[in-house]
Amino acid sequence: MSTRIFITSAEGHTGKSTIALGVLDTLSHELGRVGVFRPVARSVSEPDYVLELLLAHDSVDLPYEQCVGVTYDEVHADPDAALATIVARFAAIERQCDAVVIVGSDYTDVGSPTELSFNARIAANLGAPVLLVLGGRTSDGSHARTGADMRQVADVTTAELRSEHASLLAVIANRADPEHLDEIVAGVRESVAASAEGAEPVPVWALPEDRVLVAPTLRSVMDATGARLVRGDEALLEREAVGVVVAAMSMENVLPRLIEGSVVVVPGDRTDVLVATVLAHASETFPSLAGIILNGGFDLAPQVVRLLGGLDSSLPILWNELGTYDTALRITETRGRLAADSTRKYDLALSLFETHVDGAALLALLEVAPSQVVTPLMFEYQLLDRARSIRKHIVLPEGDDDRILRAASSLLQRGVAKLTLLGNESAVRARGAELGLDLADADVLDPNDPALQRQFAAEYATLRAHKGTTVDMAMDTVTDVSYFGTMMVKMGLADGMVSGAKHTTAHTIRPAFEVIKTLPDVSVVSSVFLMALADRVLVYGDCAVIPDPTAEQLADIAISSAQTAQQFGIEPRIAMLSYSTGDSGSGADVDKVRQATALVRERRPDLLVEGPIQYDAAADPTVAATKMPDSQVAGRATVFIFPDLNTGNNTYKAVQRSAGAVAIGPILQGLRKPINDLSRGALVSDIVNTVAITAIQAGTQEPGSPAEAPAPTPEGASS
């Protein structure tokens, strides 16, 4: 039987979707197959936004239709028959999963007592313990509840659960008053303890209300007010509107009332206020706005349109025919929803859950045993969790790239690393605000900062004096973002660097070859990819840097790759790959691999290594039993060393595409401090993973003095 948990609430608008997402994400870190089930929905076929949100999670692979039990109409018509259908449909989902998150109904069109009672009946019949979500605000959202209020709500709700024989697992007070979390937890805990009658205490947690989570997007506001976009960047319609300003007054009185992230309602005939508001948004001295709504149905005069065009603002300007009162009313009645396509809300929801709910305790309550299988999602979580535990400082030189800004916001929300972005601070923060990102905790440095430029130039000139570099020459070099970021790492102002979203591999790593240099006893900088397969993680090297390594370089790559594997919790068993296995083949290429294998054994007798060996003999136990029956590596290899870049690069891409593996990398290895390169086609998730990897490398790598070994040239690097 799978692990089951039933998430329900006593009323609507408690933010149950935030809790469901947090529980789903927590389970996915330990289990390979996690499912979602919605016992009662408005429709079996029409979209349910909570179910869509959860099905979008990477751990869930189920069709929408299978995850719905019955509709409200079916419950109204015959509750007992509906319950039987729910049980049957749940059984079909459970057979496919290690755990199922069951999300109760949403209090849309039936009375609260009746609906809670039916949810409790469902939980009891499914044998699923209840995670009860209590709203920290009254159901209409108008007032925050005190600890005493929350105790009363808990008294009524837990009594209803008991009457239907539902088992209470834990209680979460969501959207709670941030200034009274302890009081609220104490009030609910008293209620639960009083009802437990000597049983084991039920955990109680509280999540504070966050205005971003409950704020609607500008697109939702546009739809609610019947508006259309007349100017600005359509992509910015996804920004949350955290407030509303009605600008039905003179310009000088409007400007002081502007609020960060707000939507400003401007009468369509007040073009002076419109222009002033757009200019204020562009100014560094006024708040950044989500958008403007021109109401009243007035068309803009051609000269005003021309003026706005000259301002070159991306701020969305919407237009509708409603009056000011109706426009403002519809905006205030528009509720925010947690959706998979709202990255900021998604990250914020997970961050709040991780911060305020003891995930380990929740898993213990559910008696979840760690899986022996490591899925790509589980491995990615382990990366983030390890990076979060050490909180290293990473510099991101490409602060003018939206993907970098989105990744930075996600990393900061999840507390994965300290970050410095390079670029003009005003421009970086303005673009982040336009995208609705939270970059408040990021440092932003300008590569043209004169003090740092002089400091870095002096150090770089000293390091490159043997090449004839002077301080004046270095002053120009270090303003390049890759050199500036590398110098930050070199001089201890950052622990590592991640770049390459807009620059070539050579541009990213050449400064590292010149400045950071290699570790002792390492002659080359090489790379690996972490290949997350369906059930395990393998290490492939070198797939990005050295085109045709010598035997000595191949041995270096193997030893560095084994060390990288250990950094990420992978037991190294090294396969030195060739087109023949053991003594079956001959030729220069095979001899090179055979010599490299001998060098690895000589330099690191503690490592398990086999070579030459073909890929099938290294990876498949059945083939290994025939070709190398006595080998400790054959059939069980975890580190695969390719004889050249051509083989390695093509193989990792073939496995990535044909086996559906997640390729994480390239990860540079052999440097004294971690510098990592991104593909120019990198997704936000790739950047997040690479920053986490860089932080882990920084936390496990021994510091040392600059190496004197010659660094390789990057001309052959590939990405």
Side-chain angles (χ1 to χ4, degrees):
M1 186 176 74
S2 70
T3 298
R4 311 167 177 184
I5 183 170
F6 192 103
I7 303 172
T8 191
S9 58
E11 58 195 338
H13 309 301
T14 59
K16 190 165 69 260
S17 56
T18 296
I19 308 306
L21 178 63
V23 171
L24 174 63
D25 195 63
T26 301
L27 287 169
S28 69
H29 302 159
E30 299 294 336
L31 300 172
R33 300 172 300 166
V34 183
V36 181
F37 187 65
R38 191 83 148 126
V40 183
R42 285 182 176 272
S43 168
V44 173
S45 56
E46 294 179 7
D48 175 292
Y49 86 93
V50 175
L51 185 53
E52 285 188 322
L53 165 74
L54 301 178
L55 288 175
H57 193 279
D58 291 338
S59 66
V60 183
D61 184 20
L62 294 168
Y64 180 95
E65 295 76 14
Q66 288 185 21
C67 299
V68 177
V70 297
T71 65
Y72 280 94
D73 289 341
E74 290 175 278
V75 175
H76 293 158
D78 189 337
D80 291 335
L83 184 58
T85 301
I86 289 168
V87 172
R89 291 184 69 85
F90 173 78
I93 286 289
E94 187 182 36
R95 284 193 291 269
Q96 306 174 56
C97 305
D98 298 319
V100 183
V101 178
I102 309 161
V103 186
S105 56
D106 286 334
Y107 298 85
T108 53
D109 58 353
V110 291
S112 296
T114 304
E115 191 154 357
L116 176 59
S117 175
F118 193 69
N119 276 286
R121 286 184 65 195
I122 297 171
N125 279 274
L126 296 182
V130 172
L131 176 59
L132 178 63
V133 182
L134 303 179
R137 282 190 168 272
T138 53
S139 57
D140 62 2
S142 59
H143 295 92
R145 285 173 169 150
T146 65
D149 295 334
M150 294 297 288
R151 173 167 184 167
Q152 290 179 356
V153 174
D155 285 343
V156 174
T157 308
T158 54
E160 188 71 32
L161 294 176
R162 286 197 308 275
S163 70
E164 294 295 339
H165 310 290
S167 173
L168 182 62
L169 180 78
V171 182
I172 295 180
N174 192 33
R175 299 186 59 192
D177 185 343
E179 297 182 2
H180 297 93
L181 290 185
D182 291 342
E183 174 192 334
I184 287 169
V185 168
V188 175
R189 188 173 286 144
E190 288 174 7
S191 171
V192 174
S195 64
E197 299 177 352
E200 285 293 318
V202 172
V204 177
W205 297 295
L207 272 64
E209 182 170 47
D210 189 288
R211 64 177 187 163
V212 172
L213 272 183
V214 298
T217 62
L218 188 59
R219 186 179 296 280
S220 298
V221 169
M222 181 177 73
D223 295 340
T225 59
R228 58 183 172 85
L229 180 69
V230 294
R231 296 198 67 81
D233 186 350
E234 185 174 3
L236 301 185
L237 293 176
E238 307 310 322
R239 182 178 180 180
E240 288 76 23
V242 297
V244 57
V245 176
V246 178
M249 56 191 78
S250 63
M251 177 182 67
E252 60 269 22
N253 289 319
V254 169
L255 295 179
R257 290 173 167 79
L258 296 179
I259 303 170
E260 184 75 23
S262 63
V263 57
V264 183
V265 180
V266 179
D269 58 350
R270 292 298 306 271
T271 53
D272 59 327
V273 176
L274 167 64
V275 174
T277 303
V278 174
L279 287 171
H281 170 75
S283 169
E284 296 178 23
T285 57
F286 283 87
S288 172
L289 306 174
I292 295 173
I293 296 184
L294 294 173
N295 67 280
F298 300 101
D299 291 327
L300 293 175
Q303 57 269 33
V304 176
V305 173
R306 182 181 174 189
L307 178 59
L308 291 173
L311 296 177
D312 192 29
S313 172
S314 58
L315 179 68
I317 300 176
L318 312 177
W319 181 97
N320 73 13
E321 297 180 343
L322 298 176
T324 299
Y325 174 79
D326 288 335
T327 299
L329 181 63
R330 292 195 185 187
I331 293 172
T332 57
E333 289 178 343
T334 305
R335 291 185 178 271
R337 286 182 171 180
L338 177 58
D341 57 359
S342 176
T343 304
R344 184 181 181 186
K345 284 187 176 181
Y346 196 90
D347 290 334
L348 179 57
L350 291 178
S351 177
L352 285 171
F353 190 90
E354 290 168 352
T355 302
H356 297 279
V357 175
D358 187 338
L362 180 62
L363 292 172
L365 287 170
L366 293 169
E367 299 180 347
V368 173
S371 173
Q372 298 304 307
V373 170
V374 179
T375 67
L377 185 66
M378 292 163 68
F379 184 69
E380 288 177 3
Y381 169 75
Q382 290 168 9
L383 293 178
L384 297 181
D385 197 44
R386 283 190 62 192
R388 187 185 295 115
S389 69
I390 55 178
R391 290 280 291 169
K392 290 299 180 179
H393 186 169
I394 307 300
V395 58
L396 303 172
E398 297 157 318
D400 57 347
D401 188 292
D402 285 356
R403 292 168 297 167
I404 295 292
L405 297 182
R406 293 184 189 279
S409 177
S410 180
L411 288 159
L412 292 168
Q413 291 272 13
R414 306 291 296 277
V416 174
K418 300 175 184 177
L419 298 178
T420 292
L421 300 166
L422 298 188
N424 178 274
E425 182 167 11
S426 298
V428 169
R429 294 201 185 280
R431 183 56 180 168
E434 282 187 334
L435 295 171
L437 305 174
D438 185 358
L439 299 175
D441 292 334
D443 293 329
V444 182
L445 283 180
D446 192 330
N448 294 301
D449 178 278
L452 288 174
Q453 187 181 7
R454 287 191 297 271
Q455 182 183 357
F456 291 172
E459 178 70 13
Y460 183 76
T462 299
L463 292 170
R464 303 292 290 174
H466 64 289
K467 293 289 187 179
T469 302
T470 65
V471 173
D472 287 341
M473 294 165 61
M475 287 288 282
D476 290 331
T477 301
V478 298
T479 58
D480 178 280
V481 292
S482 290
Y483 277 93
F484 192 92
T486 303
M487 291 305 299
M488 286 184 65
V489 177
K490 167 64 179 174
M491 302 188 72
L493 300 179
D495 299 308
M497 184 181 87
V498 172
S499 189
K502 297 183 70 172
H503 296 90
T504 64
T505 295
H507 186 272
T508 297
I509 64 179
R510 181 181 285 111
F513 294 157
E514 295 178 2
V515 172
I516 303 298
K517 301 186 179 179
T518 57
L519 287 163
D521 302 322
V522 175
S523 64
V524 293
V525 174
S526 59
S527 74
V528 295
F529 278 88
L530 301 179
M531 302 297 294
L533 305 178
D535 58 350
R536 64 194 185 280
V537 180
L538 304 176
V539 178
Y540 282 11
D542 175 7
C543 304
V545 179
I546 304 175
D548 188 17
T550 65
E552 291 76 12
Q553 289 175 328
L554 208 56
D556 252 3
I557 294 169
I559 292 170
S560 293
S561 299
Q563 292 170 339
T564 300
Q566 289 173 322
Q567 285 180 319
F568 296 99
I570 301 167
E571 182 184 353
R573 293 188 291 273
I574 308 168
M576 306 294 286
L577 298 175
S578 178
Y579 58 77
S580 70
T581 295
D583 299 323
S584 64
S586 61
D589 291 338
V590 180
D591 290 341
K592 180 179 76 169
V593 175
R594 187 173 288 118
Q595 183 183 351
T597 305
L599 288 171
V600 173
R601 287 174 175 154
E602 177 184 330
R603 290 171 54 188
R604 289 291 305 274
D606 58 307
L607 292 176
L608 294 176
V609 60
E610 195 68 74
I613 187 170
Q614 292 164 288
Y615 192 100
D616 58 349
D620 189 325
T622 303
V623 177
T626 301
K627 293 189 174 184
M628 301 190 91
D630 299 323
S631 172
Q632 292 180 278
V633 173
R636 303 172 62 235
T638 57
V639 178
F640 293 76
I641 305 303
F642 296 93
D644 53 59
L645 182 62
N646 181 54
T647 307
N649 194 268
N650 279 294
T651 302
Y652 104 76
K653 288 178 178 177
V655 172
Q656 180 185 28
R657 300 300 178 188
S658 61
V662 176
I664 303 172
I667 301 168
L668 296 184
Q669 55 189 15
L671 289 167
R672 288 180 174 270
K673 294 186 179 182
I675 306 289
N676 277 310
D677 176 43
L678 298 165
S679 163
R680 277 169 283 175
L683 303 176
V684 171
S685 58
D686 298 327
I687 300 168
V688 168
N689 285 337
T690 304
V691 169
I693 283 168
T694 308
I696 293 168
Q697 286 180 305
T700 57
Q701 205 160 283
E702 290 292 330
S705 57
E708 298 302 325
T713 57
E715 278 71 19
S718 173
S719 66

